[in-house]
Amino acid sequence: MDIKQSEFIISAVKREQYPIDGRVEVAFVGRSNVGKSSIINALTNRRGLAKVSGTPGKTRLINFFLINKDFYLVDLPGYGYAKVSKKELASWGKTIETYLMHREPLKRVVLLVDCRHKPTKDDIDMFNWIKHFNYDYVIVATKSDKLSNNDLRKSEKVIRDTLDLGNTNKLFFFSSLNKKKREEVIDFIFKDVVEKEEVEEI
């Protein structure tokens, strides 16, 4: 599929602020320094759509982006950033949990992990949270340009073993810098979810 149009709709923290038009939602979540804003901009081909900051933990609200006037890409707050208070961490966690609980339009959660590092306890906890709420998921390992092909193979094994993925096809490596296989990762994340919903509506 092609992403031809993307626009920011709203930043929300409360359930009452979420869109109510029933469009399909695909949510992105990951650690604060995993490059979430960068991958959103790379996939939509819009440099400033999601705000990229040199300070991890900048995204504290849930940002809704309308894609192709058809479905929402939802940017959830980053987690795992140490230089914030426990009160702020609890607030961000509650914001994410509130969104994940019984969000009917949400059809898939994209968990972003840094391919250069073993998934952290926070990553594992988030992954278990996603599964607890019974959402379909895929995992995208970011910053793949930083590793050689040999190291990428090692990284894949570490990620699969740590998250107990086995040999499923739910893992994809991507670099927001070189954008190699951009079309493939767009299909990997969105295509079957969006097309399935369109078929069911007919």
mmCIF file of all heavy atoms in Angstrom, residues 29-32 78-82 89 111-113 118-130 163:
data_model
loop_
_atom_site.group_PDB
_atom_site.id
_atom_site.type_symbol
_atom_site.label_atom_id
_atom_site.label_comp_id
_atom_site.label_asym_id
_atom_site.label_seq_id
_atom_site.Cartn_x
_atom_site.Cartn_y
_atom_site.Cartn_z
ATOM 1 N N VAL A 29 4.551 2.111 19.770
ATOM 2 C CA VAL A 29 5.022 2.298 21.137
ATOM 3 C C VAL A 29 6.452 1.782 21.241
ATOM 4 O O VAL A 29 6.850 0.856 20.529
ATOM 5 C CB VAL A 29 4.096 1.574 22.153
ATOM 6 C CG1 VAL A 29 4.172 0.062 21.997
ATOM 7 C CG2 VAL A 29 4.393 2.000 23.576
ATOM 8 N N GLY A 30 7.241 2.416 22.122
ATOM 9 C CA GLY A 30 8.623 1.979 22.306
ATOM 10 C C GLY A 30 9.328 2.861 23.317
ATOM 11 O O GLY A 30 8.762 3.840 23.814
ATOM 12 N N ARG A 31 10.566 2.505 23.611
ATOM 13 C CA ARG A 31 11.346 3.304 24.546
ATOM 14 C C ARG A 31 11.551 4.715 24.010
ATOM 15 O O ARG A 31 11.499 4.953 22.799
ATOM 16 C CB ARG A 31 12.709 2.644 24.798
ATOM 17 C CG ARG A 31 12.632 1.431 25.709
ATOM 18 C CD ARG A 31 13.996 0.758 25.861
ATOM 19 N NE ARG A 31 14.995 1.700 26.374
ATOM 20 C CZ ARG A 31 15.166 1.987 27.662
ATOM 21 N NH1 ARG A 31 14.393 1.429 28.576
ATOM 22 N NH2 ARG A 31 16.106 2.830 28.040
ATOM 23 N N SER A 32 11.810 5.623 24.919
ATOM 24 C CA SER A 32 11.896 7.042 24.566
ATOM 25 C C SER A 32 12.965 7.345 23.530
ATOM 26 O O SER A 32 12.848 8.292 22.773
ATOM 27 C CB SER A 32 12.154 7.875 25.829
ATOM 28 O OG SER A 32 11.086 7.748 26.732
ATOM 29 N N GLY A 78 6.631 7.608 24.849
ATOM 30 C CA GLY A 78 7.777 6.737 25.061
ATOM 31 C C GLY A 78 7.912 6.359 26.526
ATOM 32 O O GLY A 78 7.495 7.099 27.415
ATOM 33 N N TYR A 79 8.501 5.207 26.771
ATOM 34 C CA TYR A 79 8.664 4.745 28.151
ATOM 35 C C TYR A 79 10.140 4.460 28.422
ATOM 36 O O TYR A 79 10.962 4.423 27.495
ATOM 37 C CB TYR A 79 7.825 3.493 28.402
ATOM 38 C CG TYR A 79 8.132 2.343 27.460
ATOM 39 C CD1 TYR A 79 9.233 1.509 27.670
ATOM 40 C CD2 TYR A 79 7.332 2.088 26.356
ATOM 41 C CE1 TYR A 79 9.521 0.466 26.812
ATOM 42 C CE2 TYR A 79 7.612 1.051 25.486
ATOM 43 C CZ TYR A 79 8.703 0.236 25.722
ATOM 44 O OH TYR A 79 8.995 -0.780 24.863
ATOM 45 N N GLY A 80 10.461 4.275 29.688
ATOM 46 C CA GLY A 80 11.797 3.819 30.050
ATOM 47 C C GLY A 80 12.853 4.887 30.177
ATOM 48 O O GLY A 80 14.033 4.572 30.328
ATOM 49 N N TYR A 81 12.455 6.169 30.124
ATOM 50 C CA TYR A 81 13.452 7.232 30.244
ATOM 51 C C TYR A 81 13.685 7.548 31.711
ATOM 52 O O TYR A 81 12.757 7.914 32.436
ATOM 53 C CB TYR A 81 13.000 8.480 29.480
ATOM 54 C CG TYR A 81 14.046 9.567 29.423
ATOM 55 C CD1 TYR A 81 15.336 9.288 28.975
ATOM 56 C CD2 TYR A 81 13.754 10.867 29.819
ATOM 57 C CE1 TYR A 81 16.303 10.278 28.917
ATOM 58 C CE2 TYR A 81 14.716 11.865 29.757
ATOM 59 C CZ TYR A 81 15.996 11.565 29.304
ATOM 60 O OH TYR A 81 16.948 12.549 29.243
ATOM 61 N N ALA A 82 14.934 7.424 32.161
ATOM 62 C CA ALA A 82 15.241 7.489 33.596
ATOM 63 C C ALA A 82 15.182 8.898 34.176
ATOM 64 O O ALA A 82 14.925 9.074 35.358
ATOM 65 C CB ALA A 82 16.622 6.883 33.854
ATOM 66 N N LEU A 89 6.594 9.136 35.371
ATOM 67 C CA LEU A 89 6.594 7.793 34.800
ATOM 68 C C LEU A 89 5.251 7.102 35.011
ATOM 69 O O LEU A 89 4.715 6.459 34.105
ATOM 70 C CB LEU A 89 7.718 6.952 35.431
ATOM 71 C CG LEU A 89 9.147 7.275 35.001
ATOM 72 C CD1 LEU A 89 10.132 6.476 35.831
ATOM 73 C CD2 LEU A 89 9.335 6.983 33.526
ATOM 74 N N LEU A 111 5.381 -2.596 18.282
ATOM 75 C CA LEU A 111 6.393 -2.413 19.319
ATOM 76 C C LEU A 111 7.736 -2.164 18.656
ATOM 77 O O LEU A 111 8.220 -2.987 17.868
ATOM 78 C CB LEU A 111 6.469 -3.648 20.216
ATOM 79 C CG LEU A 111 7.556 -3.622 21.298
ATOM 80 C CD1 LEU A 111 7.317 -2.482 22.290
ATOM 81 C CD2 LEU A 111 7.623 -4.964 22.029
ATOM 82 N N LEU A 112 8.344 -1.020 18.958
ATOM 83 C CA LEU A 112 9.646 -0.664 18.409
ATOM 84 C C LEU A 112 10.741 -1.009 19.411
ATOM 85 O O LEU A 112 10.654 -0.661 20.588
ATOM 86 C CB LEU A 112 9.693 0.839 18.089
ATOM 87 C CG LEU A 112 8.611 1.364 17.146
ATOM 88 C CD1 LEU A 112 8.747 2.878 16.991
ATOM 89 C CD2 LEU A 112 8.693 0.682 15.791
ATOM 90 N N VAL A 113 11.760 -1.702 18.944
ATOM 91 C CA VAL A 113 12.924 -2.008 19.782
ATOM 92 C C VAL A 113 14.184 -1.595 19.027
ATOM 93 O O VAL A 113 14.207 -1.585 17.795
ATOM 94 C CB VAL A 113 12.987 -3.507 20.150
ATOM 95 C CG1 VAL A 113 11.788 -3.904 20.991
ATOM 96 C CG2 VAL A 113 13.086 -4.388 18.908
ATOM 97 N N LYS A 118 19.777 -5.674 23.377
ATOM 98 C CA LYS A 118 18.813 -6.678 23.812
ATOM 99 C C LYS A 118 17.571 -5.959 24.351
ATOM 100 O O LYS A 118 17.693 -4.944 25.049
ATOM 101 C CB LYS A 118 19.437 -7.529 24.910
ATOM 102 C CG LYS A 118 18.521 -8.599 25.481
ATOM 103 C CD LYS A 118 19.266 -9.395 26.552
ATOM 104 C CE LYS A 118 18.355 -10.452 27.174
ATOM 105 N NZ LYS A 118 19.072 -11.238 28.217
ATOM 106 N N PRO A 119 16.366 -6.419 24.011
ATOM 107 C CA PRO A 119 15.164 -5.788 24.567
ATOM 108 C C PRO A 119 15.250 -5.687 26.086
ATOM 109 O O PRO A 119 15.659 -6.634 26.768
ATOM 110 C CB PRO A 119 14.040 -6.741 24.137
ATOM 111 C CG PRO A 119 14.537 -7.330 22.860
ATOM 112 C CD PRO A 119 16.022 -7.496 23.064
ATOM 113 N N THR A 120 14.880 -4.517 26.603
ATOM 114 C CA THR A 120 14.996 -4.260 28.031
ATOM 115 C C THR A 120 13.811 -4.841 28.798
ATOM 116 O O THR A 120 12.839 -5.324 28.197
ATOM 117 C CB THR A 120 15.033 -2.746 28.295
ATOM 118 O OG1 THR A 120 13.754 -2.195 27.910
ATOM 119 C CG2 THR A 120 16.135 -2.077 27.496
ATOM 120 N N LYS A 121 13.895 -4.770 30.111
ATOM 121 C CA LYS A 121 12.766 -5.199 30.938
ATOM 122 C C LYS A 121 11.518 -4.393 30.598
ATOM 123 O O LYS A 121 10.402 -4.922 30.564
ATOM 124 C CB LYS A 121 13.098 -5.057 32.420
ATOM 125 C CG LYS A 121 11.955 -5.520 33.346
ATOM 126 C CD LYS A 121 12.305 -5.347 34.805
ATOM 127 C CE LYS A 121 11.176 -5.879 35.698
ATOM 128 N NZ LYS A 121 9.883 -5.206 35.447
ATOM 129 N N ASP A 122 11.699 -3.087 30.344
ATOM 130 C CA ASP A 122 10.558 -2.251 29.961
ATOM 131 C C ASP A 122 9.939 -2.732 28.650
ATOM 132 O O ASP A 122 8.720 -2.744 28.492
ATOM 133 C CB ASP A 122 10.988 -0.786 29.818
ATOM 134 C CG ASP A 122 11.286 -0.137 31.161
ATOM 135 O OD1 ASP A 122 10.607 -0.484 32.141
ATOM 136 O OD2 ASP A 122 12.191 0.712 31.219
ATOM 137 N N ASP A 123 10.784 -3.124 27.689
ATOM 138 C CA ASP A 123 10.283 -3.657 26.421
ATOM 139 C C ASP A 123 9.488 -4.942 26.657
ATOM 140 O O ASP A 123 8.408 -5.132 26.082
ATOM 141 C CB ASP A 123 11.441 -3.960 25.469
ATOM 142 C CG ASP A 123 12.158 -2.714 24.978
ATOM 143 O OD1 ASP A 123 11.483 -1.681 24.767
ATOM 144 O OD2 ASP A 123 13.392 -2.773 24.805
ATOM 145 N N ILE A 124 10.035 -5.808 27.480
ATOM 146 C CA ILE A 124 9.360 -7.073 27.773
ATOM 147 C C ILE A 124 8.033 -6.825 28.474
ATOM 148 O O ILE A 124 7.007 -7.434 28.145
ATOM 149 C CB ILE A 124 10.270 -7.978 28.638
ATOM 150 C CG1 ILE A 124 11.533 -8.362 27.856
ATOM 151 C CG2 ILE A 124 9.522 -9.234 29.081
ATOM 152 C CD1 ILE A 124 12.598 -9.023 28.705
ATOM 153 N N ASP A 125 8.037 -5.904 29.448
ATOM 154 C CA ASP A 125 6.803 -5.575 30.158
ATOM 155 C C ASP A 125 5.756 -5.016 29.202
ATOM 156 O O ASP A 125 4.570 -5.368 29.274
ATOM 157 C CB ASP A 125 7.080 -4.562 31.272
ATOM 158 C CG ASP A 125 7.834 -5.171 32.443
ATOM 159 O OD1 ASP A 125 7.888 -6.416 32.530
ATOM 160 O OD2 ASP A 125 8.369 -4.402 33.264
ATOM 161 N N MET A 126 6.179 -4.127 28.291
ATOM 162 C CA MET A 126 5.238 -3.556 27.327
ATOM 163 C C MET A 126 4.696 -4.639 26.404
ATOM 164 O O MET A 126 3.501 -4.669 26.088
ATOM 165 C CB MET A 126 5.927 -2.446 26.524
ATOM 166 C CG MET A 126 5.024 -1.824 25.447
ATOM 167 S SD MET A 126 3.443 -1.202 26.074
ATOM 168 C CE MET A 126 4.017 0.137 27.139
ATOM 169 N N PHE A 127 5.565 -5.529 25.960
ATOM 170 C CA PHE A 127 5.141 -6.623 25.092
ATOM 171 C C PHE A 127 4.100 -7.500 25.798
ATOM 172 O O PHE A 127 3.074 -7.876 25.211
ATOM 173 C CB PHE A 127 6.364 -7.443 24.683
ATOM 174 C CG PHE A 127 6.082 -8.511 23.678
ATOM 175 C CD1 PHE A 127 5.337 -8.245 22.534
ATOM 176 C CD2 PHE A 127 6.574 -9.793 23.859
ATOM 177 C CE1 PHE A 127 5.093 -9.236 21.593
ATOM 178 C CE2 PHE A 127 6.337 -10.785 22.924
ATOM 179 C CZ PHE A 127 5.584 -10.507 21.795
ATOM 180 N N ASN A 128 4.352 -7.803 27.057
ATOM 181 C CA ASN A 128 3.391 -8.604 27.823
ATOM 182 C C ASN A 128 2.076 -7.861 28.020
ATOM 183 O O ASN A 128 1.003 -8.467 28.034
ATOM 184 C CB ASN A 128 3.989 -8.987 29.183
ATOM 185 C CG ASN A 128 5.095 -10.017 29.055
ATOM 186 O OD1 ASN A 128 5.113 -10.799 28.101
ATOM 187 N ND2 ASN A 128 6.023 -10.016 29.993
ATOM 188 N N TRP A 129 2.161 -6.543 28.166
ATOM 189 C CA TRP A 129 0.971 -5.706 28.306
ATOM 190 C C TRP A 129 0.123 -5.773 27.037
ATOM 191 O O TRP A 129 -1.102 -5.930 27.088
ATOM 192 C CB TRP A 129 1.403 -4.264 28.568
ATOM 193 C CG TRP A 129 0.561 -3.531 29.548
ATOM 194 C CD1 TRP A 129 -0.519 -4.003 30.256
ATOM 195 C CD2 TRP A 129 0.730 -2.167 29.958
ATOM 196 N NE1 TRP A 129 -1.023 -3.021 31.067
ATOM 197 C CE2 TRP A 129 -0.282 -1.898 30.910
ATOM 198 C CE3 TRP A 129 1.632 -1.151 29.625
ATOM 199 C CZ2 TRP A 129 -0.412 -0.634 31.517
ATOM 200 C CZ3 TRP A 129 1.501 0.084 30.233
ATOM 201 C CH2 TRP A 129 0.494 0.340 31.160
ATOM 202 N N ILE A 130 0.787 -5.664 25.896
ATOM 203 C CA ILE A 130 0.093 -5.733 24.603
ATOM 204 C C ILE A 130 -0.635 -7.063 24.471
ATOM 205 O O ILE A 130 -1.805 -7.123 24.064
ATOM 206 C CB ILE A 130 1.094 -5.547 23.448
ATOM 207 C CG1 ILE A 130 1.672 -4.124 23.450
ATOM 208 C CG2 ILE A 130 0.435 -5.833 22.092
ATOM 209 C CD1 ILE A 130 2.897 -3.962 22.569
ATOM 210 N N LEU A 163 12.076 -12.075 23.522
ATOM 211 C CA LEU A 163 10.623 -11.876 23.517
ATOM 212 C C LEU A 163 9.857 -13.167 23.242
ATOM 213 O O LEU A 163 8.627 -13.157 23.155
ATOM 214 C CB LEU A 163 10.243 -10.820 22.470
ATOM 215 C CG LEU A 163 10.832 -9.425 22.692
ATOM 216 C CD1 LEU A 163 10.383 -8.475 21.579
ATOM 217 C CD2 LEU A 163 10.417 -8.866 24.053
#
